[in-house]
Structures are given as structure tokens and as C-alpha cells.
């Protein structure tokens, strides 16, 4: 079992589908997603569903949601069929997709391997063909890592581009789409990032204007585009991943893009600043649950929350100084280039160890490998997209696992990274995962009312 969807109300879904069919019959469709199945990471509220955050107790304490979250409202407004709640790494505080309470989601390319996390169920559902689009949430690679490991497209927009109203709305968090193609991700992004009165009012209050959403550069023309390439950083992944991602860069060069050598200094300090920031803010968000239900969390989450509690205010403030430094460094880099490219992860989807369901896993080197390329995106709020560029060919258990490129750009330039992603995508021969459901073909065999 993929274990991608952990909550589903079939009667509600069938009613949504019936209403969509009526709209098509009467030529009154609501938008581009009318009748399209979409699942939502179980951190975002859907009316009538619990929001569990990957636990068995938070949802029970909070009860069923009385209303839809902001992004769910946007999906309903364009007719999306909401296919319940997607599984996630417990509390969204891990990178593998492991969940003690509901069981881990499994990678459709190899069921013995992780999906990546924390938006594990969202990525698995898209990769397996259950839905073409899913909503994820990314505070430390949680959209881009599972998208990369499952061979789908994961877009982390600019910070605050998509409004969020969840329990742990920390300053590193970004909601965004996971989709089966760059085009589908662009459609999802345009809907999720569309006009929002609350967000616009907040941006005026803090003096940070949010530019209108557009996809002006969403084409397959990269001629003259300047690609930032930090060689030492780029090469710090498994050799097969490096080779595959280099081929993607050379493909962009052949289309007229120019590779510019850059440097991103003090990467270790940036990594630590992100760790301090995100763990402190997530620990604060879960503090009332952690104190009362400490033994209901996995050992991995207990360690993470305990670490978050250990940071004092001076450490947090020091991390914000590093954040400002990292942002100023990026400003200098983006004065020279249009995008920065790197592998999306340092390794392909790791194999699940024996005894996982009972004890869980804490593997620091594995976590570092998975998160190696994500820190600037979350700490500095720049947009990034993970796009598949090939598959591993190793003769061991890793054969056939997806490999992805990460493309990042200036704030608000999602159109730029999607253009580059589209060019990369067009050069890849995609293969169906080990577990795949052709929903349209299956639907042809269903009796009609």
C-alpha cells in the first residue's frame, strides 16, 4: 500500500464529482480545475475533516475543521475535487516521510524506499497517478525533497506568495503545488497564489508589496538566460546525480543559456541558521502538545523538539543576522545571473530499514544528504522548483529511482524557474512508477448512472 491518503470521505468526494458533472452538463464550469482530483497535505484545514499534522492526538483535540483553509477555498472556487488529506512526516519535522501513527507513505517507484518528506503523501499520490495535483508545505525542503525522490514537479513559491493559515506558520514555511508536470504545477501555482484580500492587507501593513501573479516568461526559450553554477556545491552529491544534473545544464546551454560561475559562501553557517530558525519556530507552535503528549511523539520528533527548546533568544537573533547575510549574498549573485541550479537532493530515495514501523529512524547523515541544497530557499524565501531530469542506473536496489534538478531565482520570479524547468522536462523520457493508477482508463470501466 502507498499509504498516501490518510483521510477520505468517499460520499463527499462522490457528491463533489456529481456537482462537477452537472456544471459541465450545463456549461457552467468554475475554472481550470473543475472535476480535477486534488489532495491536500494534512496540515491544511478542510471543512469536516480533522487536521492531524501527522499525529493521532492533535486532530482529536482540535476536532473537525469548521471551515476550509484559505488555499482550500481557492481550490474549491475553481471546481477542484478534494480527495481527502495526504499523509506527512509526523508534525512535518522530518525529511523521509516516516509516520509512526499512520505508517509511512511509500515511494511508487520502489515500495521499499522512502518518498521523502514531509509532504510525503502528496508526492506519492501524484507520482502514482491518483491525482495530478497536490498541495504541499515546505519549511525545510518539504515540497522539493519528496517531489525529487518521487519523480514529480515540486514548486516552493516565494515566501508569502501563497497565503498560509496553519498551526505552525513559521517564517521558513511556504505552501505550494506538487504536480505531475511543469504545466500542471504552473496551473496550481497560479490558482494558489491568486488574489487574496487578507494577504494584500497584511503586506501593506508591513510595507512589503506582493507583486501580481504572472507567468510571462513561461515558455521554452532560454536563449540568453544566465545560469548560476557553484561547482563545489553542485558536485557535493552522489556522482550519478551530479552527472545527470550536469547533462540537464548542458542541455540548457545547447538551447542558448549561459553558465556563469558563482559562489555561495559560508554554507555551514546558513545551514545552522536555518536549523535554529525552523526548529525554534516549530517547537513554539507545538509546545502545548509537546508538554502534554511527549510520549505520543516519535523519538525522532522528541529529539527535534528538545533541540528547538534548547535555543535561547540570543541564538535565535544570531541566526537572523546570518539570514540577513545570506539574503544580501543572494542579492549580489542575482545581480549576475537569472537562476541558480543544483541537484535537488544529495542522494536518491533511501531504502526503508527493517523495523521502521516499530522504532522509526534517526539518520543524521541521510537527513543532511536530503536537505543539502534547500537551505537558502527556506531561510531567504526565494522560489525554487524540483524537476525530474532522469533516473538512477545503479545495479543495486537504487536502480530506476528518480533524479531531479533544483532551480532557484529572485523573489517573485516563479515564471523564470518554471521556464527553465519546462526546458529540462522536455528532454526527459519519463517512465511509469512500479505502482501507477491510470485513473482515466479505470474510470472508463465504471458504470454510469
Amino acid at each position: 500500500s502507498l499509504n498516501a491518503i490518510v483521510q477520505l470521505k468517499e460520499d463527499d468526494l462522490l457528491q463533489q464529482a456529481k456537482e462537477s458533472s452537472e456544471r459541465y452538463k450545463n456549461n457552467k464550469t468554475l475554472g481550470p480545475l473543475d472535476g480535477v482530483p486534488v489532495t491536500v497535505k494534512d496540515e491544511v484545514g478542510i471543512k469536516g475533516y480533522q487536521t492531524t499534522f501527522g499525529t493521532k492526538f492533535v486532530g482529536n483535540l482540535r476536532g473537525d475543521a469548521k471551515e476550509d483553509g484559505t488555499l482550500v477555498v481557492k481550490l474549491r472556487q475553481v471546481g477542484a475535487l478534494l480527495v481527502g488529506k495526504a499523509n506527512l512526516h509526523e508534525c512535518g519535522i522530518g525529511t523521509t516521510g516516516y509516520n509512526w501513527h499512520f505508517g509511512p507513505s511509500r515511494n511508487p517507484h520502489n515500495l521499499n524506499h522512502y518518498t521523502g518528506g514531509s509532504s510525503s503523501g502528496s508526492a506519492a499520490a501524484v507520482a502514482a497517478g491518483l491525482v495530478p495535483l497536490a498541495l504541499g508545505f515546505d519549511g525545510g525542503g518539504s515540497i522539493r525533497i519528496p517531489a525529487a525522490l518521487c519523480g514529480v514537479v515540486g514548486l516552493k513559491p516565494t515566501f508569502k506568495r501563497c497565503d498560509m493559515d496553519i498551526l505552525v506558520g513559521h517564517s521558513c514555511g511556504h505552501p505550494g503545488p506538487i504536480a505531475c508536470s511543469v504545466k500542471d504545477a504552473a496551473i496550481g501555482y497560479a490558482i494558489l497564489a491568486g488574489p487574496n484580500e487578507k494577504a494584500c492587507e497584511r503586506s501593506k501593513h508591513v510595507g512589503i508589496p506582493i507583486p501580481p501573479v504572472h507567468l510571462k516568461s513561461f515558455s521554452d526559450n532560454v536563449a540568453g538566460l544566465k545560469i548560476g553554477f557553484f561547482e563545489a556545491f553542485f558536485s557535493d552529491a552522489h556522482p550519478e546525480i551530479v552527472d545527470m544534473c550536469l547533462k540537464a545544464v548542458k542541455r540548457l546551454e545547447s538551447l542558448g543559456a549561459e553558465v556563469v560561475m558563482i559562489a555561495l559562501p559560508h554554507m555551514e553557517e546558513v545551514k545552522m541558521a536555518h536549523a535554529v530558525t525552523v526548529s525554534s519556530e516549530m517547537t513554539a507552535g507545538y509546545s502545548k502538545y509537546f508538554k502534554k503528549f511527549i510520549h505520543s511523539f516519535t523519538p525522532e520528533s522528541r529529539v527535534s523538539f528538545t533541540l528547538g527548546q534548547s535555543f535561547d533568544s540570543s541564538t535565535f537573533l544570531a541566526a537572523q543576522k546570518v539570514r540577513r547575510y545570506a539574503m544580501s549574498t543572494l542579492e549580489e549573485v542575482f545581480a549576475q545571473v537569472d537562476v541558480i541550479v543544483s541537484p535537488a537532493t544529495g542522494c536518491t530515495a533511501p531504502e526503508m530499514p527493517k523495523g521502521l514501523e516499530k522504532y522509526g529512524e534517526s539518520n543524521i547523515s541521510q537527513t543532511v544528504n536530503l536537505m543539502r541544497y534547500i537551505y537558502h530557499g527556506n531561510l531567504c524565501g526565494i522560489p525554487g522548483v524540483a524537476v525530474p531530469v532522469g533516473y538512477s542506473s545503479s545495479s543495486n536496489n537504487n536502480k530506476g529511482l528518480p533524479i531531479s534538478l533544483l532551480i532557484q531565482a529572485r523573489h517573485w520570479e516563479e515564471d523564470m524557474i518554471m521556464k527553465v524547468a519546462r526546458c529540462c522536462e522536455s528532454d526527459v523520457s519519463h517512465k511509469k512508477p512500479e505502482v501507477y493508477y491510470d485513473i482515466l482508463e479505470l474510470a472508463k470501466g465504471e458504470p454510469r448512472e
Side-chain angles (χ1 to χ4, degrees), residues 148-185:
L149 300 193
C150 290
V152 293
V153 178
L155 171 64
K156 183 199 76 63
T158 302
F159 182 66
K160 288 297 184 183
R161 172 58 93 183
C162 300
D163 198 37
M164 55 185 178
D165 48 7
I166 70 168
L167 174 68
V168 191
H170 48 77
S171 68
C172 292
H174 306 63
I178 296 176
C180 59
S181 70
V182 174
K183 185 176 180 180
D184 286 349

Coordinates of all heavy atoms in Angstrom, one line a residue, residues 148-185:
A148 N 11.3 15.5 -5.6 CA 12.5 15.0 -6.3 C 12.6 13.4 -6.1 O 12.9 12.7 -7.1 CB 13.7 15.6 -5.7
L149 N 12.3 12.9 -5.0 CA 12.5 11.5 -4.8 C 11.4 10.6 -5.4 O 11.6 9.5 -5.8 CB 12.5 11.1 -3.3 CG 13.6 11.8 -2.4 CD1 13.6 11.1 -1.0 CD2 15.0 11.7 -3.0
C150 N 10.3 11.3 -5.7 CA 9.2 10.5 -6.4 C 9.1 10.9 -7.8 O 8.2 10.3 -8.5 CB 7.8 10.9 -5.7 SG 7.7 10.2 -4.0
G151 N 10.0 11.7 -8.4 CA 10.0 12.0 -9.8 C 8.9 12.8 -10.3 O 8.4 12.6 -11.5
V152 N 8.4 13.8 -9.5 CA 7.4 14.7 -9.9 C 7.9 16.1 -9.8 O 9.0 16.3 -9.3 CB 6.0 14.5 -9.2 CG1 5.4 13.1 -9.5 CG2 6.2 14.6 -7.7
V153 N 7.0 17.1 -10.1 CA 7.5 18.5 -10.0 C 7.0 19.1 -8.7 O 5.8 19.0 -8.4 CB 6.9 19.3 -11.2 CG1 7.3 20.8 -11.1 CG2 7.4 18.7 -12.5
G154 N 7.9 19.8 -8.0 CA 7.5 20.4 -6.7 C 8.0 21.8 -6.7 O 9.1 22.1 -6.8
L155 N 7.0 22.8 -6.6 CA 7.3 24.2 -6.6 C 7.1 24.8 -5.2 O 6.0 24.7 -4.6 CB 6.4 24.9 -7.6 CG 6.4 26.5 -7.6 CD1 7.8 27.0 -8.0 CD2 5.3 27.0 -8.5
K156 N 8.2 25.4 -4.7 CA 8.1 26.2 -3.5 C 8.2 27.7 -3.9 O 9.2 28.2 -4.3 CB 9.3 25.9 -2.5 CG 9.3 26.7 -1.2 CD 10.6 26.8 -0.5 CE 11.5 27.8 -1.2 NZ 11.0 29.2 -1.1
P157 N 7.0 28.3 -3.8 CA 7.0 29.7 -4.3 C 7.7 30.7 -3.3 O 8.2 30.3 -2.3 CB 5.5 30.1 -4.3 CG 4.8 28.7 -4.3 CD 5.7 27.8 -3.5
T158 N 7.8 31.9 -3.7 CA 8.4 33.0 -2.8 C 7.6 33.0 -1.5 O 6.4 32.8 -1.5 CB 8.3 34.3 -3.5 OG1 9.0 34.3 -4.8 CG2 8.9 35.4 -2.7
F159 N 8.3 33.3 -0.4 CA 7.7 33.4 0.9 C 6.5 34.4 0.8 O 6.7 35.5 0.3 CB 8.7 33.9 1.9 CG 8.2 34.0 3.3 CD1 7.7 32.9 4.0 CD2 8.1 35.2 3.9 CE1 7.2 33.0 5.3 CE2 7.6 35.3 5.2 CZ 7.1 34.2 5.9
K160 N 5.4 34.0 1.3 CA 4.1 34.8 1.4 C 3.4 34.9 0.0 O 2.4 35.6 -0.1 CB 4.4 36.2 2.0 CG 4.6 36.2 3.4 CD 3.4 35.6 4.2 CE 3.6 35.7 5.7 NZ 2.5 35.1 6.5
R161 N 4.0 34.3 -1.0 CA 3.3 34.3 -2.3 C 1.9 33.6 -2.2 O 0.9 34.0 -2.7 CB 4.1 33.7 -3.4 CG 3.4 33.5 -4.7 CD 2.9 34.8 -5.3 NE 3.9 35.4 -6.2 CZ 3.7 36.5 -6.8 NH1 2.6 37.2 -6.6 NH2 4.6 37.0 -7.6
C162 N 1.9 32.5 -1.5 CA 0.7 31.7 -1.2 C 0.4 31.9 0.3 O 1.2 31.6 1.1 CB 0.8 30.2 -1.6 SG 1.2 29.9 -3.3
D163 N -0.8 32.4 0.6 CA -1.2 32.6 2.0 C -1.3 31.3 2.7 O -1.6 30.3 2.2 CB -2.5 33.4 2.0 CG -2.7 34.0 3.4 OD1 -1.7 34.5 3.9 OD2 -3.8 34.0 3.9
M164 N -0.9 31.4 4.0 CA -1.0 30.2 4.8 C -1.7 30.5 6.2 O -1.4 31.5 6.8 CB 0.4 29.6 5.1 CG 1.4 30.5 5.7 SD 3.1 29.8 5.8 CE 4.0 31.2 6.5
D165 N -2.5 29.6 6.6 CA -3.2 29.8 7.9 C -3.2 28.4 8.6 O -4.2 27.8 8.9 CB -4.6 30.3 7.7 CG -5.4 29.5 6.6 OD1 -4.9 28.5 6.2 OD2 -6.5 29.9 6.3
I166 N -2.0 28.0 9.0 CA -1.9 26.7 9.7 C -1.3 26.9 11.0 O -0.8 28.0 11.4 CB -1.0 25.7 8.8 CG1 0.5 26.1 8.8 CG2 -1.5 25.5 7.4 CD1 1.4 25.0 8.3
L167 N -1.3 25.8 11.8 CA -0.8 25.9 13.2 C 0.6 26.4 13.3 O 1.0 27.2 14.2 CB -0.9 24.5 13.8 CG -0.3 24.3 15.2 CD1 -1.2 25.1 16.2 CD2 -0.3 22.8 15.6
V168 N 1.5 25.9 12.4 CA 2.9 26.3 12.5 C 3.3 27.1 11.3 O 3.9 26.7 10.4 CB 3.8 25.0 12.5 CG1 5.2 25.4 12.9 CG2 3.3 24.0 13.5
G169 N 2.8 28.4 11.3 CA 3.0 29.3 10.2 C 4.3 30.0 10.4 O 4.4 31.3 10.5
H170 N 5.4 29.3 10.4 CA 6.7 29.9 10.7 C 7.3 30.7 9.5 O 6.8 30.6 8.4 CB 7.7 28.8 11.2 CG 7.8 27.6 10.3 ND1 8.4 27.6 9.1 CD2 7.2 26.4 10.5 CE1 8.3 26.4 8.6 NE2 7.5 25.7 9.3
S171 N 8.4 31.4 9.8 CA 9.0 32.3 8.8 C 9.8 31.6 7.7 O 10.3 32.2 6.8 CB 9.9 33.3 9.4 OG 11.0 32.7 10.0
C172 N 9.9 30.3 7.8 CA 10.6 29.5 6.7 C 9.5 28.7 5.9 O 9.9 28.0 4.9 CB 11.5 28.5 7.3 SG 13.0 29.2 8.1
G173 N 8.3 28.8 6.2 CA 7.2 27.9 5.6 C 6.6 28.5 4.3 O 6.3 29.7 4.2
H174 N 6.5 27.6 3.3 CA 5.9 28.0 2.0 C 5.0 26.9 1.6 O 5.4 25.8 1.3 CB 7.0 28.1 1.0 CG 8.2 29.0 1.4 ND1 9.0 28.8 2.4 CD2 8.6 30.2 0.7 CE1 9.9 29.8 2.5 NE2 9.7 30.6 1.5
P175 N 3.7 27.3 1.4 CA 2.8 26.3 0.7 C 3.0 26.4 -0.8 O 3.4 27.4 -1.3 CB 1.4 26.9 1.0 CG 1.6 28.0 2.0 CD 3.0 28.5 1.9
G176 N 2.7 25.2 -1.5 CA 2.9 25.2 -2.9 C 2.4 23.9 -3.5 O 2.1 23.0 -2.8
P177 N 2.4 23.9 -4.9 CA 1.9 22.7 -5.5 C 3.0 21.6 -5.8 O 4.1 21.9 -6.0 CB 1.4 23.3 -6.9 CG 2.4 24.4 -7.1 CD 2.7 25.0 -5.8
I178 N 2.5 20.4 -5.8 CA 3.2 19.2 -6.3 C 2.4 18.7 -7.4 O 1.2 18.4 -7.3 CB 3.5 18.2 -5.2 CG1 4.4 18.7 -4.1 CG2 4.1 16.9 -5.8 CD1 4.6 17.8 -2.9
A179 N 3.0 18.5 -8.6 CA 2.2 18.1 -9.8 C 3.0 17.1 -10.7 O 4.2 16.9 -10.5 CB 1.9 19.4 -10.6
C180 N 2.3 16.5 -11.6 CA 2.9 15.5 -12.5 C 3.6 16.1 -13.6 O 4.4 15.4 -14.3 CB 1.8 14.6 -13.0 SG 0.5 15.3 -13.9
S181 N 3.5 17.4 -13.9 CA 4.2 18.1 -14.9 C 4.4 19.6 -14.6 O 3.8 20.1 -13.7 CB 3.4 18.0 -16.3 OG 2.3 18.9 -16.2
V182 N 5.3 20.2 -15.3 CA 5.6 21.6 -15.0 C 4.4 22.5 -15.3 O 4.0 23.4 -14.6 CB 6.8 22.1 -15.9 CG1 7.0 23.6 -15.7 CG2 8.1 21.4 -15.4
K183 N 3.7 22.1 -16.4 CA 2.5 22.9 -16.8 C 1.4 22.8 -15.7 O 0.8 23.8 -15.3 CB 1.9 22.4 -18.1 CG 0.7 23.2 -18.6 CD 0.3 22.7 -20.0 CE -0.9 23.5 -20.5 NZ -1.3 23.0 -21.9
D184 N 1.2 21.6 -15.2 CA 0.2 21.4 -14.1 C 0.6 22.1 -12.8 O -0.2 22.7 -12.1 CB 0.0 19.9 -13.8 CG -0.8 19.2 -14.9 OD1 -1.4 19.9 -15.7 OD2 -0.8 17.9 -14.9
A185 N 1.9 22.1 -12.6 CA 2.4 22.9 -11.4 C 2.2 24.4 -11.6 O 1.8 25.1 -10.6 CB 3.9 22.6 -11.2

